[in-house]
Amino acid sequence: MLDRREFLRKAGLGSMGIITLSSFDIPEMIRERELFCLTIAHTNDMHSHVDPFPPDHSKYPGMGGMARRLSLIRELRDKNPHLLLLDSGDIFQGTPYFNFYGGEVEFRLMSEMGYDCATMGNHDFDNGLEGFDKMLPYASFPFVTSNYDFSDTVLAGKTHRFKTFQRGPIKIGIFGIGIQLDGLVSKPLYGNTIHKEEVKTANEIALELKELDCDFIICLSHLGFSYSDGKISDQILARETKNIDLILGGHTHTFLDQPVAIGNLDDKPVIINQVGWAGLVVGKLDFYFDKSLKNKWCKQTATLPVKTVPKK
Amino acid sequence: MKDAISLLVLTIVLLASVGCANYKIIKFTGTNTSVSGEYKAHSDAEEITTMYRKAIDSVMNEQIGTTAHTLTKGNPEGRLGNFCSDAVFEQSLLWQKKNGMLEKVKLDFALLNNGGLRVPLDSGRITIGNIYELMPFENEIVFVEISGKQMNELMDYIHKRTTLSGRKSGVPVSKNFELQLDTINQLNYCQINDQQFDANQSYTIATSDYLANGGDQMAFFTNPIAITYTGIKIRDAFIESIRELGRKGQVVDAKLDGRIGYVR
């Protein structure tokens, strides 16, 4: 298997840590072989933005809206029925829809869109664990909260350490890593929730998923993209773990122009993406799998660069 | 954001290097797509939303008052923070009166955080909807009694949040709390209800439960002498204060009065 350094060399790592992939040949090879495309669509920090921003909004005039997102998702699903639709938390809080109905509208619309899985952000605790619990009947999708131990709370047994999904021939494992609640959320709201260390938990669960024969492992994270003070973030999580293929982040409301790739403990690339907030942007990631390529790698065509973040 | 708004397609080849058990990823493309008017609002979603939206709109569009100025956050003080913390203090006193608590707890002043005030109040008519945008959180007013030592930490916090590079958010306080900052000698001169601050005394502050629990790094609140939960939502305190002015035929006219300033 190609290691990351070799990957970067082959890909032609330019200065500034930007990979420019150019002029690989044989796109026909893709066509000849039978490929499986897994499409992952995702959101984060929708913050109860059910309706689009008003037309006179200073930053995002007329943008967003869950009814439009439904059209977009239906379009994606028409193109590729093997779609996974995921959310990285902070579904709640930000518009009167939440103040009045406590998340009922958001969950009902997400269910209509066919979300497959989500994790909890700090604002999903805003009406307390009871407030979240009361809304669960409106959500047709599961929550993965791998590093929150809810066993001594009303949410005991109602969220999952991880979930696995089958899409075509591919088995996907999904788990969730949440942010430290202490100092961020009022203690009475999260009650007896125990927050477990992020990197250790992520490594444990990713390994468990690998041993369950998952082909692709996704971490839904509400840690934030990166911090200047070295606080745990998606970038650190990617670097300090193994077996994770993709981190879909949230919390910092980061509008990434494009996904980034970071080398993990095994020097294998981990893709990280985050799409701002308020349902303004939907991320869509297509992964093409090929069984015949076992133990091989193959030159393929690339059209645009991917930004990588240099290892510290 | 501009870049993120535009449709961006990215194609890279991972050269079979993403670790998966049986299948190799040979190609990856990522597209972050803006949810714009290009996508029509789907009727299946509209059907769900309409009933909720109508009920909300009927409440939100009610005008409760008028403001003479656009109220914005500021540092060391802002019209928005001054209005909001004064409103919390006044409504706290009213609540005490109603509940026969005036004697039991002697409130000294109110303190909020600018991070919790989400949008400015534009000059002109104020609707309930505007106040929900300003204060979307369900936080309630609590009274926190802290020691003179903790009060010193509170003042240091305000000092930092007013002057420290990169952290300058300003801290909204009610008008009965006056603080003059000596930035050269790192000293604070404080008067509370026209009395010199006394480090041997305890003080009781009306604030939000979020801050009382140490939110926005207000560690000085986390080990209080006493705490009283009022159940008054901060948002309702704002709404009540504005309504009250309206009933008196007055407009919201928050002023900058130098409650937090610098020693000359």
Side-chain angles (χ1 to χ4, degrees):
Chain A
M1 186 166 290
L2 195 69
D3 74 12
R4 179 174 172 274
R5 234 163 323 210
E6 198 186 349
F7 161 67
L8 295 181
R9 189 179 59 76
K10 297 253 196 232
L13 177 66
S15 56
M16 315 295 289
I18 307 288
I19 304 179
T20 35
L21 296 161
S22 55
S23 68
F24 289 102
D25 34 280
I26 347 177
E28 299 78 33
M29 280 185 69
I30 296 182
R31 265 176 249 137
E32 278 166 20
R33 257 188 261 106
E34 209 183 308
L35 293 185
F36 175 77
C37 178
L38 170 69
T39 299
I40 295 162
H42 68 102
T43 49
N44 54 272
D45 299 272
M46 66 179 81
H47 281 296
S48 303
H49 279 264
V50 170
D51 292 328
F53 280 89
D56 58 349
H57 191 268
S58 56
K59 262 177 143 169
Y60 314 117
M63 299 296 294
M66 288 180 82
R68 285 180 185 159
R69 198 195 315 161
L70 176 60
S71 295
L72 190 161
I73 296 298
R74 293 258 170 102
E75 206 179 291
L76 291 181
R77 222 185 281 279
D78 284 347
K79 276 186 204 146
N80 186 356
H82 300 293
L83 181 84
L84 264 179
L85 181 56
L86 307 171
D87 185 82
S88 299
D90 275 9
I91 295 164
F92 290 176
Q93 193 70 267
T95 71
Y97 283 102
F98 178 67
N99 303 115
F100 279 58
Y101 300 108
E104 181 179 323
V105 192
E106 296 87 321
F107 280 3
R108 282 188 65 187
L109 288 168
M110 287 174 78
S111 302
E112 182 68 33
M113 284 182 230
Y115 270 81
D116 293 289
C117 195
T119 193
M120 286 174 78
N122 46 303
H123 281 293
D124 298 317
F125 293 82
D126 278 2
N127 279 350
L129 297 174
E130 291 77 13
F132 185 83
D133 183 41
K134 263 204 302 205
M135 291 302 130
L136 278 177
Y138 298 103
S140 64
F141 50 92
F143 284 85
V144 284
T145 53
S146 314
N147 67 329
Y148 292 139
D149 179 353
F150 289 129
S151 48
D152 191 21
T153 75
V154 67
L155 287 184
K158 293 174 181 169
T159 67
H160 307 264
R161 283 176 64 240
F162 59 77
K163 290 294 277 185
T164 61
F165 297 84
Q166 193 73 34
R167 287 291 183 274
I170 305 294
K171 185 175 179 183
I172 302 127
I174 303 182
F175 69 101
I177 293 293
I179 195 163
Q180 171 66 262
L181 300 171
D182 189 25
L184 194 61
V185 177
S186 289
K187 170 79 175 137
L189 296 178
Y190 65 83
N192 290 335
T193 305
I194 297 166
H195 172 267
K196 294 189 289 184
E197 206 270 321
E198 300 85 355
V199 171
K200 185 167 172 277
T201 310
N203 266 323
E204 280 167 11
I205 304 235
L207 181 64
E208 200 174 329
L209 288 168
K210 198 187 168 198
E211 283 165 355
L212 284 171
D213 228 13
C214 287
D215 302 294
F216 194 74
I217 296 173
I218 304 171
C219 173
L220 300 180
S221 153
H222 201 76
L223 297 177
F225 183 63
S226 72
Y227 301 97
S228 52
D229 63 359
K231 190 176 136 180
I232 179 75
S233 64
D234 293 341
Q235 298 201 7
I236 293 174
L237 189 73
R239 273 190 202 106
E240 296 185 359
T241 55
K242 31 178 113 172
N243 300 316
I244 300 172
D245 296 297
L246 172 66
I247 297 176
L248 299 175
H251 190 59
T252 41
H253 297 192
T254 308
F255 285 100
L256 288 180
D257 293 344
Q258 57 199 55
V260 302
I262 285 187
N264 71 6
L265 274 187
D266 288 338
D267 263 346
K268 287 176 188 157
V270 181
I271 305 284
I272 305 176
N273 201 22
Q274 190 178 148
V275 287
W277 70 293
L280 288 161
V281 181
V282 172
K284 184 197 149 220
L285 311 172
D286 289 316
F287 290 89
Y288 294 84
F289 293 82
D290 187 342
K291 198 172 185 177
S292 68
L293 276 181
K294 201 171 177 178
N295 300 324
K296 287 190 214 166
W297 61 271
C298 162
K299 291 194 282 183
Q300 293 300 343
T301 304
T303 54
L304 281 169
V306 60
K307 202 194 269 172
T308 65
V309 179
K311 207 167 182 175
K312 268 184 189 164
Chain B
M1 180 55 205
K2 215 168 191 181
D3 290 338
I5 289 265
S6 65
L7 185 91
L8 192 128
V9 181
L10 154 82
T11 311
I12 66 157
V13 181
L14 285 183
L15 303 173
S17 60
V18 169
C20 55
N22 303 309
Y23 295 87
K24 298 298 167 217
I25 296 163
I26 62 157
K27 190 180 145 198
F28 161 67
T29 69
T31 314
N32 290 345
T33 306
S34 287
V35 181
S36 64
E38 192 188 320
Y39 298 95
K40 278 220 177 74
H42 201 291
S43 58
D44 288 357
E46 285 299 311
E47 219 167 90
I48 293 173
T49 316
T50 306
M51 183 193 75
Y52 297 107
R53 187 187 290 129
K54 272 189 185 156
I56 292 171
D57 284 349
S58 65
V59 174
M60 290 298 161
N61 293 332
E62 185 201 345
Q63 182 178 355
I64 52 169
T66 315
T67 167
H69 312 276
T70 292
L71 309 185
T72 56
K73 297 190 227 191
N75 184 30
E77 60 168 340
R79 288 182 198 274
L80 187 65
N82 286 0
F83 169 75
C84 290
S85 33
D86 286 345
V88 164
F89 189 79
E90 285 159 22
Q91 294 301 313
S92 297
L93 285 186
L94 282 177
W95 180 85
Q96 282 192 298
K97 245 180 234 167
K98 229 188 279 169
N99 293 282
M101 297 264 299
L102 270 180
E103 301 303 314
K104 211 174 152 200
V105 178
K106 193 197 149 289
L107 265 190
D108 290 295
F109 63 98
L111 179 144
L112 297 172
N113 73 325
N114 268 332
L117 306 175
R118 307 302 281 187
V119 294
L121 275 184
D122 286 334
S123 67
R125 81 193 269 275
I126 307 173
T127 63
I128 296 259
N130 296 141
I131 306 302
Y132 268 87
E133 288 165 21
L134 168 64
M135 182 64 217
F137 308 117
E138 301 295 320
N139 296 118
E140 65 170 283
I141 299 177
V142 297
F143 303 155
V144 192
E145 184 183 357
I146 60 174
S147 68
K149 185 170 167 279
Q150 287 163 324
M151 275 292 293
N152 272 318
E153 291 167 25
L154 178 149
M155 287 181 241
D156 286 342
Y157 176 93
I158 296 178
H159 198 125
K160 273 188 199 147
R161 284 300 178 103
T162 307
T163 58
L164 198 67
S165 151
R167 316 262 330 250
K168 287 183 201 172
S169 59
V171 180
V173 290
S174 60
K175 63 185 169 211
N176 37 13
F177 179 89
E178 293 169 70
L179 188 67
Q180 300 299 310
L181 309 173
D182 177 347
T183 54
I184 295 160
N185 301 304
Q186 294 290 308
L187 293 172
N188 307 310
Y189 297 95
C190 181
Q191 284 209 329
I192 297 162
N193 293 305
D194 297 324
Q195 300 286 312
Q196 196 83 29
F197 164 68
D198 177 0
N200 296 315
Q201 208 187 305
S202 70
Y203 289 86
T204 302
I205 301 140
T207 187
S208 82
D209 56 343
Y210 170 70
L211 299 175
N213 280 295
D216 213 355
Q217 286 150 344
M218 295 200 184
F220 45 84
F221 277 144
T222 50
N223 194 15
I225 297 167
I227 185 160
T228 311
Y229 288 85
T230 67
I232 315 167
K233 283 186 184 164
I234 304 259
R235 180 173 50 243
D236 291 339
F238 298 166
I239 291 172
E240 253 329 290
S241 280
I242 296 167
R243 279 194 201 277
E244 208 173 288
L245 287 169
R247 280 194 288 267
K248 290 187 216 154
Q250 294 171 4
V251 298
V252 175
D253 188 19
K255 291 203 164 56
L256 298 176
D257 49 21
R259 55 189 74 178
I260 294 181
Y262 301 102
V263 174
R264 289 180 169 233

